[in-house]
C-alpha cells in the first residue's frame, strides 16, 4: 500500500490501522461490482469479511452496507452459497429499519433494491420484478439519480438472467441514460457499447 508517498506492506498497515485495509478491500470490491467483475468482487468480498467485521451495517456506514448487501446477494446467487445470501438479508433488514425509523427519503429505494435482489436469489421472479420497479420509482422520486441508474442496471441483469433479453435492454437503456445524467460517463459508455453489440 502507498500511504503519503511511502510503500508499506498490507499486513503491517492492517496491524496498525485495520480500518485502512478494511476500506481498501471494500473499495476494491465496490469498484469490481460497478464494473461487473465477478471474480474480483468475490475475492475482495472474502477479504473484507475476513477482517471479522461484526457491525459494518451501522447507520454511519450505510453506504458500505448497502453495496455490500447487493454484492453478497450477487455472490450468493452465482455460487449457490447461502451464507452470502444471509449477509445480504441481514443488510436488507437494516435498510428496512432505516427506511421506517430514520428516513424514508434516504433508505426506501435501497431497501426495495435489496428486497428485489433477495427475491431474485429465492427465484421469486414476479416479486423481484415488482421490487426492482419500486426501487427505480423510489430512487427517481427521492432524486437519487445514481441509484436509479443502478436499480435499472440490476433489473436489466435480472431480466437477462431470467431469459427476457428484450426487456433487459429497456432497463439497460434507462441505466445508461441515468448514469450519463449523473456524470458516470465511463459506466454509461460501457452500457452503450453493450447495447450496440446486442
Amino acid at each position: 500500500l502507498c500511504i503519503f508517498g511511502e510503500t508499506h506492506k498490507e499486513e503491517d498497515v492492517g496491524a496498525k490501522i485495520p480500518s485502512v485495509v478494511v476500506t481498501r478491500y471494500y473499495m476494491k470490491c465496490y469498484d469490481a461490482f460497478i464494473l461487473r467483475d465477478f471474480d474480483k468482487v468475490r475475492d475482495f468480498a472474502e477479504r473484507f469479511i475476513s477482517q471479522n467485521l461484526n457491525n459494518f451495517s451501522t447507520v454511519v456506514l450505510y453506504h458500505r452496507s448497502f453495496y455490500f448487501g447487493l454484492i453478497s446477494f450477487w455472490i450468493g446467487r452465482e455460487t449457490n452459497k447461502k451464507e452470502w445470501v444471509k449477509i445480504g438479508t441481514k443488510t436488507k433488514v437494516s435498510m428496512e429499519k432505516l427506511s421506517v425509523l430514520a428516513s424514508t427519503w434516504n433508505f426506501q429505494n435501497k431497501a426495495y433494491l435489496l428486497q428485489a435482489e433477495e427475491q431474485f436469489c429465492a427465484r421469486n421472479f414476479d416479486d423481484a420484478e415488482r421490487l426492482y420497479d419500486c426501487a427505480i420509482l423510489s430512487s427517481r422520486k427521492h432524486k437519487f439519480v445514481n441509484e436509479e441508474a443502478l436499480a435499472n442496471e440490476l433489473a436489466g441483469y435480472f431480466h437477462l438472467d431470467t431469459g427476457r433479453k428484450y426487456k433487459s435492454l429497456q432497463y439497460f437503456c434507462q441505466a445508461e441514460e441515468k448514469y450519463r445524467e449523473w456524470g458516470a460517463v465511463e459506466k454509461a459508455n460501457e452500457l452503450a457499447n453493450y447495447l450496440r453489440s446486442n
Side-chain angles (χ1 to χ4, degrees):
L1 293 175
C2 185
I3 302 172
F4 299 119
E6 296 180 22
T7 304
H8 302 275
K9 290 182 180 178
E10 188 174 282
E11 53 273 5
D12 292 342
V13 174
K16 293 177 184 172
I17 316 168
S19 63
V20 170
V21 174
V22 169
T23 300
R24 179 175 186 268
Y25 290 159
Y26 169 74
M27 291 308 300
K28 293 283 190 181
C29 190
Y30 171 82
D31 289 346
F33 174 70
I34 294 299
L35 298 174
R36 301 304 286 178
D37 185 334
F38 180 76
D39 292 332
K40 283 186 181 176
V41 162
R42 185 175 51 197
D43 177 44
F44 284 105
E46 288 171 353
R47 292 183 194 196
F48 182 74
I49 289 293
S50 75
Q51 296 300 303
N52 196 16
L53 306 171
N54 294 323
N55 194 15
F56 66 85
S57 59
T58 62
V59 176
V60 176
L61 301 175
Y62 78 87
H63 181 269
R64 182 184 291 178
S65 178
F66 169 60
Y67 280 98
F68 201 74
L70 295 173
I71 288 164
S72 298
F73 282 130
W74 186 28
I75 294 171
R77 196 167 49 250
E78 294 295 320
T79 63
N80 290 320
K81 292 187 177 176
K82 292 183 195 254
E83 60 267 22
W84 286 105
V85 175
K86 285 181 184 177
I87 293 168
T89 299
K90 180 179 177 184
T91 302
K92 178 207 66 158
V93 169
S94 295
M95 286 300 142
E96 289 170 338
K97 288 178 183 175
L98 288 168
S99 177
V100 172
L101 301 174
S103 172
T104 301
W105 186 278
N106 286 318
F107 298 108
Q108 181 185 59
N109 66 316
K110 295 167 184 64
Y112 281 143
L113 191 52
L114 288 162
Q115 290 167 354
E117 287 286 294
E118 179 183 49
Q119 293 308 308
F120 185 12
C121 288
R123 305 188 60 76
N124 296 327
F125 298 149
D126 290 341
D127 289 340
E129 183 173 7
R130 179 183 56 76
L131 288 162
Y132 282 116
D133 289 340
C134 287
I136 292 164
L137 293 173
S138 179
S139 296
R140 184 177 306 141
K141 177 181 176 184
H142 298 124
K143 309 206 183 311
F144 290 106
V145 176
N146 59 325
E147 291 169 5
E148 184 180 352
L150 178 63
N152 272 291
E153 182 183 7
L154 294 181
Y157 286 117
F158 161 73
H159 288 291
L160 188 63
D161 289 352
T162 56
R164 297 174 277 185
K165 184 177 180 180
Y166 179 75
K167 198 162 189 176
S168 76
L169 295 175
Q170 296 169 347
Y171 284 95
F172 286 138
C173 282
Q174 283 297 309
E176 187 255 336
E177 180 183 311
K178 291 300 174 180
Y179 278 125
R180 200 167 299 285
E181 180 182 331
W182 186 50
V185 177
E186 185 177 341
K187 181 66 179 179
N189 289 342
E190 176 191 302
L191 282 172
N193 290 337
Y194 171 79
L195 290 166
R196 274 195 293 278
S197 67
N198 285 289

